[in-house]
Every structure is written in C-alpha cells, then in structure tokens.
Amino acid sequence: MDDATAIEPTATPPLSQAELDRLTDLLIEKLKTVYDPEIPVDIYELGLVYRVDVSDDKDVAIDMTLTAPGCPVAGEMPGWVEDAVKEISDVRSVKVDLVFDPPWDPSRMSDEAKLALNMF
C-alpha cells in the first residue's frame, strides 16, 4: 500500500450540544452522590468541583479540591469521584486531579449547601 492509498484515521466528531447537555446532567447527578464524610452536603454543592472537561471521545477530566488540604479522606475522595463518574455508561475514561489553588472557602458553596448547613 503506498502513501496515496493509505486510509486516514477518522477523527471523532464533536459532541452535539444536546449530547453534551445530557452528559453534563449525568455528571452532576453522579457528582452529587459523593459526600465529604465530615459534612452532610455533597461535593458538588460544597463547590469542591472546580472543573469538568469532557472530550469528544467522552473522556472526562475533573479538577477538584478539598475543604482543607489535611482532610483525612484526601487519598480516597478522588477515587470515590472517579468511581461515581465511571457509572455513566457513555464515559470512556475518568481522571480526577486534586488541586489546592485557589484554596476552597465557604463562598464557593451553593445556596442549597448553605441552607443545609445553616450558614445564612
């Protein structure tokens, strides 16, 4: 086979907005199943999830933080997040990174979280 007849690999078509919206809803649903064991509010409402990227191949990359760098579940929580997101059948892979810049503070919490924790 010469170069002129070589078959080019096909690129993954971009996700449609409808598909991205559907995946976003599923991702939020799964992120809301993960709780900081010391706080009765899920990590999404606490504002611990800083970034979620979904590639056209449905690989998911998540940057998240903790309420404090010395959190006793620091080594476990990224795995909990990864396991929860892997439950979405369309997702090909998940990578969760802990980041501490910017540091988390209570202003990142949703109104729902503040209400649950009587912080109004």
Side-chain angles (χ1 to χ4, degrees):
M1 194 183 240
D2 64 11
D3 289 334
T5 60
I7 299 173
E8 293 293 320
T10 58
T12 303
L15 291 176
S16 69
Q17 188 61 52
E19 179 66 4
L20 186 58
D21 291 346
R22 186 185 72 77
L23 273 174
T24 298
D25 290 344
L26 289 170
L27 286 162
I28 292 169
E29 180 182 311
K30 290 302 180 182
L31 291 170
K32 286 183 165 201
T33 67
V34 181
Y35 285 76
D36 181 319
E38 297 177 336
I39 305 171
V41 177
D42 67 78
I43 64 166
Y44 184 82
E45 297 298 338
L46 279 174
L48 298 180
V49 178
Y50 284 178
R51 181 184 66 89
V52 178
D53 283 337
V54 180
S55 75
D56 291 333
D57 291 321
K58 299 180 183 171
D59 296 312
V60 178
I62 299 171
D63 285 350
M64 64 169 293
T65 195
L66 303 170
T67 54
C71 179
V73 295
E76 299 171 53
M77 194 174 294
W80 300 343
V81 172
E82 184 178 324
D83 290 344
V85 172
K86 281 182 177 177
E87 292 178 6
I88 302 170
S89 62
D90 293 349
V91 169
R92 185 172 81 165
S93 69
V94 182
K95 182 175 186 267
V96 179
D97 288 318
L98 276 181
V99 297
F100 295 100
D101 187 33
W104 180 86
D105 67 72
S107 70
R108 295 184 174 278
M109 292 191 301
S110 69
D111 288 344
E112 182 179 312
K114 290 175 184 174
L115 184 62
L117 297 173
N118 291 321
M119 294 183 72
F120 274 111

